[in-house]
Amino acid sequence: MFKVSARAFPRRSPIFSSKCFASTLTLIETNGSKISPASLSTLNAASKLNQPITCLVLGSDAKKISESEFKNLELSSSNLKISKILYNENSNFDHLLAENISNILTNLINDSKNDITHFFANSSSIGKNIIPRVAALLDVQPISDIINIKDSKTFIRPIYAGNAIATVESSDKLILSTIRSSAFSQISSDSSINNSIVIEELPINDSDITSNNDNKITWVSESLTKSERPDLSSAKVVVSGGRGLKSKENFDKLIDPLAKALNAAVGASRAAVDAGFVDNSLQVGQTGKVIAPDLYFAIGISGAIQHLAGMKDSKTIVAINKLEDEPIYKIADYGLVGDLFEILPELTEKISAL
Ligand code: FAD
């Protein structure tokens, strides 16, 4: 159960409440051999509760990752208290299918010796699949898409596609949440630090894996878009193009070189995706990726509310549009009013020459 109050715009503020024995379980997603950038943000969010964090790592490389990837992690505010890593090496967990791990998570959370008061997962397709299922098994109201934490029971999350911000206070003993990674910076790695963390294998029976799934769901394949550019979800600089580019050829000819010059990821509006200029994995917005890079270029993009929902938290926004009263200019820090076909070649040339 929770109560909600909503206001127009959020302010990020530091948190913190503490409990003696409480602990936060965090599900770690990995990119093969590394902790995923989104999980580094989720760990930062977990640190705001100022209580010990238990990390759960599952999959073929779980042991190797547990032993190598956590000991140098640091947080500038030094509230990161990873006390334990639990791992289980089993290829059944490689894609973190909710059907395979929900019972395991439920048992872990229900085990009173773990004192788990919070369970955090990324606001990714994996986390969004797992949290509701575990919440149903535990009969708890989940809180999704957290963008800030006021205290151990009070969370801030967007509603109405980011047009309002709700403060949600839970009265449940257990909090299950997905964390929006664009709202929390990633904790970083420093080789001079060597944290001592307990690393333990989590014993799991085959029956726990199959009891929920019953082999009805199996991972078949995935097809990933290959790009030389940084990943859109975690890039510091993003160059996005919209319908104003007019064709795929123009998009490739004008957006890609600017992105390359800035070592930026490429993004796009839905209109550009629908017109076939780029793959839909590059869509930014309400029904695409929600990002908050340091620098965001919106080029030939009008600034529809659904696009803003995905990029308005960017630290600096630059808009290039030929019409000066387009909504994108209301949130842009810098605007270049003019024809993108004239501006972009010159801008790219000047940036490349730096
Ligand atoms: P337009 O609105 O057509 O804007 C093109 C811009 O290019 C104009 O501002 C124009 O002035 C400028 N332009 C044209 N030629 C030039 C030139 N030569 N030089 C400079 N500027 C030029 N949209 C998203 O982006 N992401 C989403 O996730 C998303 N989800 C949606 C979900 C729902 C349920 C719905 C209903 C819509 C969603 N949309 C989303 C679509 C959204 O409403 C807009 O239609 C879309 O964002 C418009 O894309 P655009 O700005 O590229 O195109």
Side-chain angles (χ1 to χ4, degrees), residues 241-244 246 268-272 283-288 300-304 306-307 320-323 326 338-341:
R243 185 157 29 208
K246 298 194 168 43
S269 70
R270 177 158 149 185
Q283 183 177 318
V284 174
Q286 181 189 334
T287 42
I301 292 177
S302 57
Q306 296 89 353
H307 187 79
I320 301 177
N321 198 301
K322 66 179 181 186
L323 301 176
E326 287 293 66
D339 186 345
L340 67 88
F341 295 99

Side-chain angles (χ1 to χ4, degrees), residues 296-342:
Y296 186 86
F297 282 79
I299 301 171
I301 292 177
S302 57
I305 202 150
Q306 296 89 353
H307 187 79
L308 303 187
M311 45 63 75
K312 67 176 168 30
D313 290 330
S314 305
K315 315 287 174 300
T316 303
I317 297 169
V318 178
I320 301 177
N321 198 301
K322 66 179 181 186
L323 301 176
E324 65 179 62
D325 49 4
E326 287 293 66
I328 192 70
Y329 285 123
K330 293 206 171 72
I331 63 154
D333 299 285
Y334 299 94
L336 266 173
V337 180
D339 186 345
L340 67 88
F341 295 99
E342 287 168 16

